[in-house]
PDB file of all heavy atoms in Angstrom:
ATOM      1  N   THR C 110     -19.327 -19.789  81.067  1.00  0.00           N
ATOM      2  CA  THR C 110     -19.601 -20.324  82.397  1.00  0.00           C
ATOM      3  C   THR C 110     -20.157 -21.730  82.257  1.00  0.00           C
ATOM      4  O   THR C 110     -20.711 -22.077  81.212  1.00  0.00           O
ATOM      5  CB  THR C 110     -20.607 -19.443  83.160  1.00  0.00           C
ATOM      6  OG1 THR C 110     -20.835 -19.988  84.462  1.00  0.00           O
ATOM      7  CG2 THR C 110     -21.940 -19.363  82.418  1.00  0.00           C
ATOM      8  N   GLY C 111     -20.017 -22.520  83.285  1.00  0.00           N
ATOM      9  CA  GLY C 111     -20.649 -23.830  83.307  1.00  0.00           C
ATOM     10  C   GLY C 111     -21.745 -23.910  84.348  1.00  0.00           C
ATOM     11  O   GLY C 111     -22.271 -24.988  84.631  1.00  0.00           O
ATOM     12  N   ASP C 112     -22.113 -22.775  84.915  1.00  0.00           N
ATOM     13  CA  ASP C 112     -23.062 -22.707  86.023  1.00  0.00           C
ATOM     14  C   ASP C 112     -24.499 -22.751  85.505  1.00  0.00           C
ATOM     15  O   ASP C 112     -24.899 -21.930  84.674  1.00  0.00           O
ATOM     16  CB  ASP C 112     -22.816 -21.416  86.806  1.00  0.00           C
ATOM     17  CG  ASP C 112     -23.528 -21.401  88.152  1.00  0.00           C
ATOM     18  OD1 ASP C 112     -24.466 -22.201  88.340  1.00  0.00           O
ATOM     19  OD2 ASP C 112     -23.150 -20.582  89.003  1.00  0.00           O
ATOM     20  N   SER C 113     -25.278 -23.694  86.013  1.00  0.00           N
ATOM     21  CA  SER C 113     -26.679 -23.815  85.584  1.00  0.00           C
ATOM     22  C   SER C 113     -27.532 -22.646  86.028  1.00  0.00           C
ATOM     23  O   SER C 113     -28.641 -22.468  85.510  1.00  0.00           O
ATOM     24  CB  SER C 113     -27.271 -25.120  86.127  1.00  0.00           C
ATOM     25  OG  SER C 113     -27.294 -25.103  87.546  1.00  0.00           O
ATOM     26  N   ASP C 114     -27.038 -21.814  86.974  1.00  0.00           N
ATOM     27  CA  ASP C 114     -27.803 -20.642  87.400  1.00  0.00           C
ATOM     28  C   ASP C 114     -28.055 -19.676  86.250  1.00  0.00           C
ATOM     29  O   ASP C 114     -28.968 -18.840  86.326  1.00  0.00           O
ATOM     30  CB  ASP C 114     -27.069 -19.902  88.526  1.00  0.00           C
ATOM     31  CG  ASP C 114     -27.056 -20.698  89.824  1.00  0.00           C
ATOM     32  OD1 ASP C 114     -27.826 -21.678  89.928  1.00  0.00           O
ATOM     33  OD2 ASP C 114     -26.284 -20.355  90.741  1.00  0.00           O
ATOM     34  N   PHE C 115     -27.264 -19.771  85.197  1.00  0.00           N
ATOM     35  CA  PHE C 115     -27.427 -18.861  84.062  1.00  0.00           C
ATOM     36  C   PHE C 115     -28.417 -19.393  83.033  1.00  0.00           C
ATOM     37  O   PHE C 115     -28.657 -18.732  82.021  1.00  0.00           O
ATOM     38  CB  PHE C 115     -26.073 -18.614  83.400  1.00  0.00           C
ATOM     39  CG  PHE C 115     -25.153 -17.740  84.203  1.00  0.00           C
ATOM     40  CD1 PHE C 115     -24.191 -18.299  85.025  1.00  0.00           C
ATOM     41  CD2 PHE C 115     -25.271 -16.356  84.162  1.00  0.00           C
ATOM     42  CE1 PHE C 115     -23.349 -17.509  85.787  1.00  0.00           C
ATOM     43  CE2 PHE C 115     -24.436 -15.547  84.916  1.00  0.00           C
ATOM     44  CZ  PHE C 115     -23.472 -16.121  85.736  1.00  0.00           C
ATOM     45  N   THR C 116     -28.997 -20.554  83.266  1.00  0.00           N
ATOM     46  CA  THR C 116     -29.946 -21.111  82.304  1.00  0.00           C
ATOM     47  C   THR C 116     -31.150 -20.199  82.066  1.00  0.00           C
ATOM     48  O   THR C 116     -31.552 -20.000  80.903  1.00  0.00           O
ATOM     49  CB  THR C 116     -30.409 -22.507  82.759  1.00  0.00           C
ATOM     50  OG1 THR C 116     -29.266 -23.347  82.963  1.00  0.00           O
ATOM     51  CG2 THR C 116     -31.312 -23.144  81.726  1.00  0.00           C
ATOM     52  N   PRO C 117     -31.759 -19.585  83.114  1.00  0.00           N
ATOM     53  CA  PRO C 117     -32.855 -18.647  82.835  1.00  0.00           C
ATOM     54  C   PRO C 117     -32.434 -17.466  81.973  1.00  0.00           C
ATOM     55  O   PRO C 117     -33.220 -16.978  81.158  1.00  0.00           O
ATOM     56  CB  PRO C 117     -33.281 -18.183  84.245  1.00  0.00           C
ATOM     57  CG  PRO C 117     -32.870 -19.297  85.152  1.00  0.00           C
ATOM     58  CD  PRO C 117     -31.591 -19.820  84.571  1.00  0.00           C
ATOM     59  N   LEU C 118     -31.197 -16.992  82.138  1.00  0.00           N
ATOM     60  CA  LEU C 118     -30.703 -15.907  81.285  1.00  0.00           C
ATOM     61  C   LEU C 118     -30.633 -16.363  79.831  1.00  0.00           C
ATOM     62  O   LEU C 118     -31.001 -15.607  78.924  1.00  0.00           O
ATOM     63  CB  LEU C 118     -29.324 -15.445  81.771  1.00  0.00           C
ATOM     64  CG  LEU C 118     -28.598 -14.431  80.867  1.00  0.00           C
ATOM     65  CD1 LEU C 118     -29.407 -13.145  80.756  1.00  0.00           C
ATOM     66  CD2 LEU C 118     -27.191 -14.157  81.394  1.00  0.00           C
ATOM     67  N   VAL C 119     -30.182 -17.588  79.615  1.00  0.00           N
ATOM     68  CA  VAL C 119     -30.126 -18.126  78.255  1.00  0.00           C
ATOM     69  C   VAL C 119     -31.517 -18.141  77.634  1.00  0.00           C
ATOM     70  O   VAL C 119     -31.722 -17.707  76.491  1.00  0.00           O
ATOM     71  CB  VAL C 119     -29.518 -19.548  78.252  1.00  0.00           C
ATOM     72  CG1 VAL C 119     -29.597 -20.161  76.857  1.00  0.00           C
ATOM     73  CG2 VAL C 119     -28.072 -19.520  78.743  1.00  0.00           C
ATOM     74  N   HIS C 120     -32.490 -18.633  78.392  1.00  0.00           N
ATOM     75  CA  HIS C 120     -33.870 -18.682  77.875  1.00  0.00           C
ATOM     76  C   HIS C 120     -34.378 -17.279  77.538  1.00  0.00           C
ATOM     77  O   HIS C 120     -35.016 -17.064  76.496  1.00  0.00           O
ATOM     78  CB  HIS C 120     -34.794 -19.332  78.906  1.00  0.00           C
ATOM     79  CG  HIS C 120     -34.528 -20.789  79.115  1.00  0.00           C
ATOM     80  ND1 HIS C 120     -34.263 -21.649  78.089  1.00  0.00           N
ATOM     81  CD2 HIS C 120     -34.487 -21.547  80.253  1.00  0.00           C
ATOM     82  CE1 HIS C 120     -34.070 -22.877  78.555  1.00  0.00           C
ATOM     83  NE2 HIS C 120     -34.191 -22.832  79.874  1.00  0.00           N
ATOM     84  N   LYS C 121     -34.116 -16.309  78.396  1.00  0.00           N
ATOM     85  CA  LYS C 121     -34.597 -14.952  78.155  1.00  0.00           C
ATOM     86  C   LYS C 121     -33.943 -14.341  76.929  1.00  0.00           C
ATOM     87  O   LYS C 121     -34.610 -13.681  76.118  1.00  0.00           O
ATOM     88  CB  LYS C 121     -34.333 -14.092  79.397  1.00  0.00           C
ATOM     89  CG  LYS C 121     -34.818 -12.636  79.269  1.00  0.00           C
ATOM     90  CD  LYS C 121     -36.296 -12.556  78.920  1.00  0.00           C
ATOM     91  CE  LYS C 121     -37.165 -13.123  80.030  1.00  0.00           C
ATOM     92  NZ  LYS C 121     -38.621 -12.975  79.715  1.00  0.00           N
ATOM     93  N   LEU C 122     -32.637 -14.534  76.762  1.00  0.00           N
ATOM     94  CA  LEU C 122     -31.948 -13.984  75.594  1.00  0.00           C
ATOM     95  C   LEU C 122     -32.487 -14.602  74.304  1.00  0.00           C
ATOM     96  O   LEU C 122     -32.651 -13.906  73.287  1.00  0.00           O
ATOM     97  CB  LEU C 122     -30.444 -14.234  75.709  1.00  0.00           C
ATOM     98  CG  LEU C 122     -29.715 -13.417  76.777  1.00  0.00           C
ATOM     99  CD1 LEU C 122     -28.275 -13.892  76.927  1.00  0.00           C
ATOM    100  CD2 LEU C 122     -29.740 -11.929  76.438  1.00  0.00           C
ATOM    101  N   ARG C 123     -32.792 -15.881  74.348  1.00  0.00           N
ATOM    102  CA  ARG C 123     -33.339 -16.520  73.145  1.00  0.00           C
ATOM    103  C   ARG C 123     -34.761 -16.032  72.862  1.00  0.00           C
ATOM    104  O   ARG C 123     -35.169 -15.925  71.702  1.00  0.00           O
ATOM    105  CB  ARG C 123     -33.295 -18.038  73.293  1.00  0.00           C
ATOM    106  CG  ARG C 123     -31.874 -18.586  73.379  1.00  0.00           C
ATOM    107  CD  ARG C 123     -31.828 -20.097  73.386  1.00  0.00           C
ATOM    108  NE  ARG C 123     -32.245 -20.639  72.091  1.00  0.00           N
ATOM    109  CZ  ARG C 123     -32.357 -21.931  71.835  1.00  0.00           C
ATOM    110  NH1 ARG C 123     -32.092 -22.823  72.786  1.00  0.00           N
ATOM    111  NH2 ARG C 123     -32.739 -22.359  70.648  1.00  0.00           N
ATOM    112  N   GLU C 124     -35.517 -15.722  73.922  1.00  0.00           N
ATOM    113  CA  GLU C 124     -36.838 -15.109  73.726  1.00  0.00           C
ATOM    114  C   GLU C 124     -36.720 -13.761  73.033  1.00  0.00           C
ATOM    115  O   GLU C 124     -37.623 -13.352  72.296  1.00  0.00           O
ATOM    116  CB  GLU C 124     -37.536 -14.930  75.075  1.00  0.00           C
ATOM    117  CG  GLU C 124     -38.075 -16.214  75.684  1.00  0.00           C
ATOM    118  CD  GLU C 124     -38.740 -15.961  77.024  1.00  0.00           C
ATOM    119  OE1 GLU C 124     -39.042 -14.787  77.321  1.00  0.00           O
ATOM    120  OE2 GLU C 124     -38.943 -16.923  77.778  1.00  0.00           O
ATOM    121  N   LEU C 125     -35.610 -13.080  73.274  1.00  0.00           N
ATOM    122  CA  LEU C 125     -35.367 -11.774  72.652  1.00  0.00           C
ATOM    123  C   LEU C 125     -34.729 -11.908  71.269  1.00  0.00           C
ATOM    124  O   LEU C 125     -34.210 -10.936  70.723  1.00  0.00           O
ATOM    125  CB  LEU C 125     -34.458 -10.935  73.558  1.00  0.00           C
ATOM    126  CG  LEU C 125     -35.047 -10.563  74.929  1.00  0.00           C
ATOM    127  CD1 LEU C 125     -33.999  -9.897  75.810  1.00  0.00           C
ATOM    128  CD2 LEU C 125     -36.258  -9.645  74.753  1.00  0.00           C
ATOM    129  N   ASN C 126     -34.759 -13.129  70.712  1.00  0.00           N
ATOM    130  CA  ASN C 126     -34.236 -13.417  69.374  1.00  0.00           C
ATOM    131  C   ASN C 126     -32.728 -13.238  69.296  1.00  0.00           C
ATOM    132  O   ASN C 126     -32.192 -12.802  68.276  1.00  0.00           O
ATOM    133  CB  ASN C 126     -34.919 -12.534  68.324  1.00  0.00           C
ATOM    134  CG  ASN C 126     -34.742 -13.076  66.916  1.00  0.00           C
ATOM    135  OD1 ASN C 126     -34.605 -14.275  66.714  1.00  0.00           O
ATOM    136  ND2 ASN C 126     -34.723 -12.187  65.930  1.00  0.00           N
ATOM    137  N   LYS C 127     -32.038 -13.591  70.370  1.00  0.00           N
ATOM    138  CA  LYS C 127     -30.587 -13.552  70.382  1.00  0.00           C
ATOM    139  C   LYS C 127     -30.047 -14.979  70.316  1.00  0.00           C
ATOM    140  O   LYS C 127     -30.596 -15.887  70.934  1.00  0.00           O
ATOM    141  CB  LYS C 127     -30.060 -12.868  71.646  1.00  0.00           C
ATOM    142  CG  LYS C 127     -30.624 -11.465  71.891  1.00  0.00           C
ATOM    143  CD  LYS C 127     -30.228 -10.500  70.782  1.00  0.00           C
ATOM    144  CE  LYS C 127     -30.740  -9.091  71.104  1.00  0.00           C
ATOM    145  NZ  LYS C 127     -30.417  -8.137  70.015  1.00  0.00           N
ATOM    146  N   ARG C 128     -28.984 -15.147  69.586  1.00  0.00           N
ATOM    147  CA  ARG C 128     -28.291 -16.433  69.544  1.00  0.00           C
ATOM    148  C   ARG C 128     -27.381 -16.518  70.764  1.00  0.00           C
ATOM    149  O   ARG C 128     -26.687 -15.545  71.105  1.00  0.00           O
ATOM    150  CB  ARG C 128     -27.477 -16.549  68.261  1.00  0.00           C
ATOM    151  CG  ARG C 128     -26.614 -17.791  68.152  1.00  0.00           C
ATOM    152  CD  ARG C 128     -25.994 -17.872  66.754  1.00  0.00           C
ATOM    153  NE  ARG C 128     -24.922 -18.845  66.690  1.00  0.00           N
ATOM    154  CZ  ARG C 128     -25.099 -20.149  66.558  1.00  0.00           C
ATOM    155  NH1 ARG C 128     -26.324 -20.639  66.466  1.00  0.00           N
ATOM    156  NH2 ARG C 128     -24.069 -20.977  66.502  1.00  0.00           N
ATOM    157  N   VAL C 129     -27.378 -17.669  71.434  1.00  0.00           N
ATOM    158  CA  VAL C 129     -26.600 -17.813  72.666  1.00  0.00           C
ATOM    159  C   VAL C 129     -25.606 -18.963  72.504  1.00  0.00           C
ATOM    160  O   VAL C 129     -25.985 -20.089  72.164  1.00  0.00           O
ATOM    161  CB  VAL C 129     -27.500 -18.074  73.886  1.00  0.00           C
ATOM    162  CG1 VAL C 129     -26.650 -18.185  75.157  1.00  0.00           C
ATOM    163  CG2 VAL C 129     -28.516 -16.952  74.043  1.00  0.00           C
ATOM    164  N   ILE C 130     -24.338 -18.649  72.758  1.00  0.00           N
ATOM    165  CA  ILE C 130     -23.271 -19.645  72.735  1.00  0.00           C
ATOM    166  C   ILE C 130     -22.707 -19.761  74.146  1.00  0.00           C
ATOM    167  O   ILE C 130     -22.385 -18.749  74.774  1.00  0.00           O
ATOM    168  CB  ILE C 130     -22.142 -19.250  71.759  1.00  0.00           C
ATOM    169  CG1 ILE C 130     -22.690 -19.107  70.343  1.00  0.00           C
ATOM    170  CG2 ILE C 130     -21.008 -20.265  71.795  1.00  0.00           C
ATOM    171  CD1 ILE C 130     -21.673 -18.597  69.340  1.00  0.00           C
ATOM    172  N   GLY C 131     -22.618 -20.959  74.661  1.00  0.00           N
ATOM    173  CA  GLY C 131     -22.034 -21.179  75.982  1.00  0.00           C
ATOM    174  C   GLY C 131     -20.608 -21.704  75.853  1.00  0.00           C
ATOM    175  O   GLY C 131     -20.272 -22.359  74.870  1.00  0.00           O
ATOM    176  N   VAL C 132     -19.799 -21.408  76.854  1.00  0.00           N
ATOM    177  CA  VAL C 132     -18.424 -21.914  76.908  1.00  0.00           C
ATOM    178  C   VAL C 132     -18.162 -22.364  78.332  1.00  0.00           C
ATOM    179  O   VAL C 132     -18.402 -21.596  79.282  1.00  0.00           O
ATOM    180  CB  VAL C 132     -17.387 -20.844  76.508  1.00  0.00           C
ATOM    181  CG1 VAL C 132     -15.978 -21.414  76.579  1.00  0.00           C
ATOM    182  CG2 VAL C 132     -17.673 -20.300  75.115  1.00  0.00           C
ATOM    183  N   GLY C 133     -17.683 -23.584  78.523  1.00  0.00           N
ATOM    184  CA  GLY C 133     -17.404 -24.073  79.862  1.00  0.00           C
ATOM    185  C   GLY C 133     -16.465 -25.267  79.836  1.00  0.00           C
ATOM    186  O   GLY C 133     -16.290 -25.908  78.796  1.00  0.00           O
ATOM    187  N   VAL C 134     -15.869 -25.551  80.969  1.00  0.00           N
ATOM    188  CA  VAL C 134     -15.030 -26.740  81.121  1.00  0.00           C
ATOM    189  C   VAL C 134     -15.954 -27.951  81.245  1.00  0.00           C
ATOM    190  O   VAL C 134     -16.912 -27.941  82.028  1.00  0.00           O
ATOM    191  CB  VAL C 134     -14.122 -26.612  82.355  1.00  0.00           C
ATOM    192  CG1 VAL C 134     -13.309 -27.886  82.577  1.00  0.00           C
ATOM    193  CG2 VAL C 134     -13.190 -25.411  82.199  1.00  0.00           C
ATOM    194  N   GLU C 135     -15.670 -28.991  80.482  1.00  0.00           N
ATOM    195  CA  GLU C 135     -16.625 -30.091  80.333  1.00  0.00           C
ATOM    196  C   GLU C 135     -17.006 -30.739  81.662  1.00  0.00           C
ATOM    197  O   GLU C 135     -18.182 -30.944  81.951  1.00  0.00           O
ATOM    198  CB  GLU C 135     -16.064 -31.135  79.384  1.00  0.00           C
ATOM    199  CG  GLU C 135     -17.033 -32.264  79.076  1.00  0.00           C
ATOM    200  CD  GLU C 135     -16.563 -33.161  77.950  1.00  0.00           C
ATOM    201  OE1 GLU C 135     -15.428 -32.984  77.490  1.00  0.00           O
ATOM    202  OE2 GLU C 135     -17.347 -34.034  77.533  1.00  0.00           O
ATOM    203  N   LYS C 136     -16.027 -31.066  82.491  1.00  0.00           N
ATOM    204  CA  LYS C 136     -16.317 -31.819  83.708  1.00  0.00           C
ATOM    205  C   LYS C 136     -17.040 -31.000  84.764  1.00  0.00           C
ATOM    206  O   LYS C 136     -17.647 -31.572  85.675  1.00  0.00           O
ATOM    207  CB  LYS C 136     -15.020 -32.388  84.292  1.00  0.00           C
ATOM    208  CG  LYS C 136     -14.435 -33.528  83.480  1.00  0.00           C
ATOM    209  CD  LYS C 136     -13.251 -34.156  84.163  1.00  0.00           C
ATOM    210  CE  LYS C 136     -12.699 -35.333  83.373  1.00  0.00           C
ATOM    211  NZ  LYS C 136     -11.516 -35.939  84.036  1.00  0.00           N
ATOM    212  N   SER C 137     -16.995 -29.681  84.673  1.00  0.00           N
ATOM    213  CA  SER C 137     -17.651 -28.852  85.679  1.00  0.00           C
ATOM    214  C   SER C 137     -18.882 -28.142  85.145  1.00  0.00           C
ATOM    215  O   SER C 137     -19.497 -27.353  85.853  1.00  0.00           O
ATOM    216  CB  SER C 137     -16.663 -27.809  86.226  1.00  0.00           C
ATOM    217  OG  SER C 137     -16.265 -26.920  85.200  1.00  0.00           O
TER     218      SER C 137
END
Side-chain angles (χ1 to χ4, degrees):
T110 181
D112 193 342
S113 63
D114 291 346
F115 288 96
T116 305
L118 173 62
V119 174
H120 292 318
K121 181 56 65 177
L122 289 172
R123 295 186 68 183
E124 286 179 16
L125 296 172
N126 198 29
K127 306 297 183 182
R128 175 173 166 81
V129 181
I130 300 175
V132 180
V134 176
E135 185 170 7
K136 288 186 178 179
S137 64

